[in-house]
Amino acid sequence: MAQTIINVVPEGTPPVGHIFESQQMLSTFLSYIFNALPMVSYIIMLSFSLNFILYISGRVSLTFAGIYLVGAYVTVSVGTYFLGQNFSLLSFIAILLAVGLLGAAISIVVYATFERFLKTDVHRMIATSSLLMVFSGIIKIQWGTTPVTYSAPFLKMGISEVLGNIVPNYYFFMFGFSLILMLALAYFLFRTAWGLRFRATSLDGDRTMAQVCGVNQNIVTAITFAISGMLAAIAGGLYAPIAGASYGIEGNALLLAALTIIVGGVGSIGGAVLTAFIIGIARVITAVEMPLFELAIPFIIASAVLVVRPYGIWGKEFKH
Amino acid sequence: MNTALSMTVPSVGRRTWITTLIFTAIVVVLPFFISGYQRTLLQKGLLWIPSVFGVYILYSLLRQVHFGQSIFIGLGSYITAFMAGKYSVTNELMILLPLALVVSIVVAYVLGIFIMKRTGFYFAVMGIAVTMVFWSLVYKARTITGGSDGISHIKNPSLFTVPLSDMGLYYFCLIVSVGIIVLMLRVLNSSFSLQLRAIAGDLEKAESIGIPVKRMQRLAFTIAGANAGITGVLLAFSYNYVSPSVFEWGYGANFVQSAIIGGVTSFAGPVVGAFGFINLEFFISTWFANLWEIIIGLTIAIIVVTVGEKGVTGIVQTLFSKIRCK
């Protein structure tokens, strides 16, 4: 019996040594990173959707989670209706941009008709969390409570092998798309004249002074809400081909976005991206190693950061 | 800032005690005139009162939104489900209630260390996060908690080894919730509540005059949690069924919404809010089953936009004062 087992190993196999093991570990680690890419881009976009409003206008708004929900469902429906099983990258990007515009429109409308009149942060939190109920109620009437899926982009994009790991191309597309959006946003904020106006009214700037200098507060806040809604809707659209859209996913989005702000700090794009990597990779590793604690790990990271640095790793103390 | 706060925080007078007595008399007599189903609704309303009072204390005294009441309700419910349902250890209320109380106090104290590090938006979000974490743990640990199926067949409770009938459970719930109302009135009328108001007014000033800010905040959070833990045990017994949905953040948000419906400028707020929310939920889900989330959400949103945190009791108060002036 023992003889046969030894014979299974073919002759000429190199001895399992230190180098081989470390290569394997590297490969496993890389596979974690690749598998975390969708989660990372999801977290980057959602957290910045919340972060942007918080930083620029000093308001708390949880509506982005509802818009994320709408974005996911609309992408699934529109994608299935117009594209079906056929798939072309350009038309999918067009759908995503259209969904982004829809999200921006919803966000502006909700802001202009409703959120504008809320006076304190406490009121904003309660009212917008009630609006989340309204969003999920509308979703329930239109699409029901059974999950809907649209996985054509994910399947049709194929796979590629990177350093011994098989990774779906969609992961790279999703990450690249969100990274391009974040870079565009950073360019807008730090290199354009309008971006200067945004930064002048932000928590880092001085709102009264900006107003005196002729920055129209209302327009800046409205555009802030539009950008936030766009990011949230596109996040929903991008993640839908992987996870589908199901009733009640907005809670998860809200949780991850908010915990990312706690870890990364308010108003830092770099902090949001790095935190998204930390939380995303930690989540993937726990999902593989101990699935029970998959949702608990972002919370544990956030609690640890709260104890060590209450204003986030890259954050500053703001009073708003 | 301080004057605005002192105007919104009510004071306990003789009238409050009389109102409490009248309320108690009504809920004692009412079960004899209504059907069994209406009694269960009434019982649910009574059981919501302690949890809503927890939200109320944090809101009216500390200006914090506490979305995490569902954590402690869930803990209490699952303790009951394990002890009286799955493992059939005991169904004695006099053991289960103190047990749930101790567990929720310990959990609330430990969580308070992390959650109360920051206030405002961060506190609210951490509450949501914790309850989602509990939800995912309970949902995924299928072998222990039954996963999404939950735990059913919880035995009927017994009090001092005497098994309680449905009516008996109703009166026990009544005693507990009226007891907690009286206790909360005492708490709100104490120096503790004054200290919390000082913290809400200006944290640095409060710290400089020697109020242990962190400890007081944690204590308030613990009181809220203890209330919800007791609610959880009795809710599990009234439904005979526990599912992970008790840990959903939307369920915790319902208590904030009840507090807002009732209003936080009056002691009657939580009572009115709890019954108001339960009735609203009941009527909307019977008449327009699909629309209930939309209607409740819009109602709360409109209340917040128009009257802020005053709620129904605030509107009634302003109406009365207008009538008296004329």
Side-chain angles (χ1 to χ4, degrees), chain B residues 140-213:
Chain B
K140 284 182 180 161
R142 182 164 271 280
T143 46
I144 307 168
T145 58
S148 55
D149 299 339
I151 299 172
S152 49
H153 304 300
I154 297 171
K155 276 188 220 151
N156 284 335
S158 62
L159 183 65
F160 297 117
T161 68
V162 182
L164 283 178
S165 63
D166 285 354
M167 206 66 158
L169 183 60
Y170 172 83
Y171 280 105
F172 186 77
C173 294
L174 194 153
I175 292 168
V176 168
S177 86
V178 169
I180 286 179
I181 290 174
V182 172
L183 203 67
M184 288 302 120
L185 291 183
R186 290 297 308 155
V187 166
L188 287 163
N189 207 17
S190 63
S191 61
F192 165 69
S193 103
L194 283 175
Q195 292 183 17
L196 288 187
R197 278 179 234 176
I199 293 170
D202 193 321
L203 199 143
E204 276 141 24
K205 275 181 199 160
E207 206 160 20
S208 68
I209 61 169
I211 295 172
V213 171

Side-chain angles (χ1 to χ4, degrees), chain A residues 241-263:
Chain A
I242 298 176
S246 55
Y247 182 69
I249 47 175
E250 82 277 12
N252 206 342
L254 179 64
L255 171 81
L256 284 174
L259 291 184
T260 308
I261 288 191
I262 289 174
V263 176

Side-chain angles (χ1 to χ4, degrees), chain B residues 58-281:
Chain B
L58 281 170
Y59 195 117
S60 73
L61 302 180
L62 271 179
R63 301 272 135 195
Q64 304 298 329
V65 191
H66 184 22
F67 281 119
Q69 279 299 54
S70 45
I71 307 162
F72 307 105
I73 293 193
L75 282 176
S77 298
Y78 268 93
I79 287 171
T80 315
F82 284 139
M83 299 288 271
K86 196 172 180 192
Y87 300 115
S88 313
V89 182
T90 173
N91 57 348
E92 173 60 54
L93 279 170
M94 280 300 133
I95 298 173
L96 284 172
L97 279 181
L99 183 68
L101 198 62
V102 169
V103 169
S104 32
I105 285 176
V106 169
V107 171
Y109 191 81
V110 174
L111 283 178
I113 295 172
F114 299 103
I115 293 182
M116 276 293 183
K117 276 277 169 190
R118 290 192 66 184
T119 50
F121 169 65
Y122 302 91
F123 170 75
V125 159
M126 284 302 267
I128 295 178
V130 178
T131 184
M132 292 275 295
V133 167
F134 272 105
W135 177 83
S136 78
L137 290 181
V138 169
Y139 196 81
K140 284 182 180 161
R142 182 164 271 280
T143 46
I144 307 168
T145 58
S148 55
D149 299 339
I151 299 172
S152 49
H153 304 300
I154 297 171
K155 276 188 220 151
N156 284 335
S158 62
L159 183 65
F160 297 117
T161 68
V162 182
L164 283 178
S165 63
D166 285 354
M167 206 66 158
L169 183 60
Y170 172 83
Y171 280 105
F172 186 77
C173 294
L174 194 153
I175 292 168
V176 168
S177 86
V178 169
I180 286 179
I181 290 174
V182 172
L183 203 67
M184 288 302 120
L185 291 183
R186 290 297 308 155
V187 166
L188 287 163
N189 207 17
S190 63
S191 61
F192 165 69
S193 103
L194 283 175
Q195 292 183 17
L196 288 187
R197 278 179 234 176
I199 293 170
D202 193 321
L203 199 143
E204 276 141 24
K205 275 181 199 160
E207 206 160 20
S208 68
I209 61 169
I211 295 172
V213 171
K214 289 285 161 209
R215 215 174 70 202
M216 284 299 151
Q217 285 175 334
R218 235 174 278 158
L219 194 56
F221 186 73
T222 312
I223 288 175
N227 280 354
I230 291 175
T231 304
V233 173
L234 293 172
L235 274 178
F237 275 127
S238 345
Y239 288 133
N240 286 332
Y241 172 65
V242 172
S243 79
S245 66
V246 286
F247 279 119
E248 271 173 15
W249 78 273
Y251 188 58
N254 284 351
F255 295 101
V256 179
Q257 290 164 342
S258 314
I260 287 296
I261 288 180
V264 294
T265 49
S266 156
F267 284 128
V271 178
V272 174
F275 284 111
F277 190 90
I278 300 269
N279 281 315
L280 206 63
E281 194 185 15

Side-chain angles (χ1 to χ4, degrees), chain A residues 201-213:
Chain A
T201 57
S202 72
L203 295 180
D204 271 330
D206 187 330
R207 186 156 310 159
T208 330
M209 203 60 210
Q211 210 151 13
V212 170
C213 295

